[in-house]
Each structure stands twice: as C-alpha cells, then as structure tokens.
Amino acid sequence: MTQALKGSAIDCYTAATPNGRRVLIMLEETGLPYFPIWIDLMRGEQRSTHFLAINPEGAIPAIIDHRLSAPNQQLMLSQSAAILIYLAETSGHFLPQGAGRYNVLQWLMLCISDVACASSSAFQVSRIKGDIGTVSTHFATRIARYLAIAERQLQGRDFLAGAYSIADMCLYANTLVPSITELIRQSDNFPNLRRWEMRMAERPAVARAIVLCPPSGSPSTIPG
Ligand SMILES: N[C@@H](CCC(=O)N[C@@H](CS)C(=O)NCC(=O)O)C(=O)O
C-alpha cells in the first residue's frame, strides 16, 4: 500500500463497500500518496459532524487532496465516479484524451448509474421486511441486463473500453457484491465477464486494494 502521513497526501474516507473499493483500487493503481480513513457505516460515523463537513451527503467515499498548496484550494470531493475522474486527471492514467475518453466515460456511467444503482437498490430492498418479490425481481432483472451489456462489450476485448480504465475499476467493485459474483460465476451467460474478472483479480494493485478493506465494524479513526 502507498501510505503517507495524514495531511501530506490524499485522505480517503472509505469503507469495505463497492463505492469505497473502487476508489481504493484507483489509488493503488496510480500509486498516488494516500491515507485511508475507515468509516464505520454500521456505527453511523458517516453522519458525524466531522464527516458531514467533508461530504454533506453523509456517504463514503470522499477524499481531501492536501497536495494542493494554497490553503483555500484544498479539494474535498465525494461521489466515487467523480473521484475516479479526478484521480485519473491528476495522475494522467486510466482515462485517455480524445475520442477514447468519452468511450471510457460512457462505460463508467453505465457502471455507476446503472449497475451500481440497481445493485444498491437490490440490497436496500432485501432489507425490507415483508413481501419484496416483485421489486426484488425487478432489480435482479436489471442487474442481469446490464451485465449482459458488459458481457457483449467484452467480446474480443480485454477491458470495457479496450485499454484498462476507471470504467473497469468501477464495474469490478460491483462484481464483488456476493450476489453478483455468484450470478457471473454460476450462469453460462457470462464467459467474457468471468475471464475479465480473472484479469482484474490478477492485477497487483487490485489485489492490494481488496485486501486493504477491513471487515465492517472495524475500529474507526474518524474523530467525533
Ligand atoms: N453515488 C455515491 C453513493 C455513495 C454511497 O451510497 N455510499 C454508501 C456506502 S457504499 C454510504 O456511505 N452509505 C451511508 C448511508 O447512506 O448512511 C457514490 O458513487 O459515491
């Protein structure tokens, strides 16, 4: 792990969730100096005064980039896709210039607004007590539909936009959700996604980011 003292690098407020993991993958991939600050979502630390001053939405991930020198230029950013784009632009990696850029952004948006949104909704619905049959099927169908789009895109390609990019990091974090992992591995419909998953898992930076995420409920370092 690249680690620097808090205050001299990028503070990354995160947790072991898809949104938290995709940013950690990017930080590990770029080698940018960062300091992970674990937010215990179960204990509600995302709603602490300290954290709400960083992200008023009270959701991880969020970053503070201390590398910007002027005091009033300290950058605070939330929304995992925005953070991925920011880190790609400041590192110069995983988001090309020119026409290829919009191809990556198109796939990034599919992963964040379609796959991630359906996956998160499916999780929230699964926590509702009572009959959730129709709603649950609705989100499961959407997830399978989006994965089928990614599956077709990966035909003859190693990565979603050709070269490895932030779109792959975004989708991979979602495929680590157990129900999605199971769907990809157990269905005959996703051979390209299975091979892509293996390519992703073999990347040292991806492996480091995944190992780094502690189980939920781990001790937190956030003040107040
Ligand atoms: N669209 C946001 C979603 C952020 C989000 O929902 N984060 C969740 C964890 S994956 C969270 O912090 N939830 C805490 C809460 O809602 O109380 C992103 O992409 O970063």
Side-chain angles (χ1 to χ4, degrees), residues 17 19 22 41 46-47 58-61 79-81 112:
T17 71
N19 291 315
R22 63 175 63 96
L41 298 174
Q46 68 276 25
R47 282 183 284 281
I60 63 91
Q79 293 297 330
S80 59
I112 199 76

Side-chain angles (χ1 to χ4, degrees), residues 38 40 43 45 214-220:
W38 303 103
D40 191 331
R43 282 178 47 201
E45 289 179 337
S216 58
S218 63
S220 157

